[in-house]
Amino acid sequence: MKNLIILSMMLVTLLACSSQTITPDVGSLDLKVTIGPLCPVEPCNKTTDDIRKVYEAYTFTVKEAKTGKVVLEKTLAYNGTNGVLKSTDMSVGEYELDFTPKSFFTKQGFPRPFTIEKNKTTQLEIAIDTGIR
């Protein structure tokens, strides 16, 4: 009888533990990028397809700040107004954002450090100066 009671208690404990959901420590990153100027004078006569190609030429890399391990590498998507990069969930921690290609005007301030916090979205806005004048 004593063994049956112990076994029942173990079974109840096991079932209680298995019904708990474990939520990982994750957050997300939303990146908005503007690139310009695209023409030396206004109005700019570039087509939407030309502008999309400019944005898609940039690759953004996210690395863990401590180890330098690349955790995300994506090209920008153009939404008709800006370049955007929406990542999937990322582990909580310290990171660095960088991109290629760079111009003389965009070397400073990169890689840019940022933090991912649990259950929060980190929003970064980047302006890339092409140097076109």
Side-chain angles (χ1 to χ4, degrees), residues 46-133:
K46 291 198 180 285
T47 66
T48 301
D49 192 49
D50 291 337
I51 296 170
R52 181 186 53 76
K53 288 176 184 175
V54 169
Y55 278 87
E56 290 176 350
Y58 285 85
T59 300
F60 281 78
T61 304
V62 175
K63 296 180 182 180
E64 291 178 350
K66 289 182 182 178
T67 65
K69 177 184 173 188
V70 174
V71 295
L72 180 69
E73 190 168 57
K74 288 187 176 182
T75 57
L76 284 176
Y78 181 63
N79 68 4
T81 308
N82 300 300
V84 292
L85 183 147
K86 293 193 181 258
S87 76
T88 54
D89 290 340
M90 294 175 60
S91 296
V92 169
E94 303 292 321
Y95 295 92
E96 292 180 342
L97 174 75
D98 208 352
F99 68 93
T100 56
K102 287 192 179 92
S103 73
F104 173 78
F105 297 97
T106 56
K107 290 180 183 176
Q108 291 183 316
F110 289 93
R112 180 170 294 170
F114 68 95
T115 302
I116 295 291
E117 297 180 36
K118 185 175 181 174
N119 298 327
K120 292 186 179 179
T121 299
T122 300
Q123 296 180 335
L124 298 177
E125 292 190 18
I126 308 289
I128 298 174
D129 186 341
T130 60
I132 297 173
R133 305 286 188 256

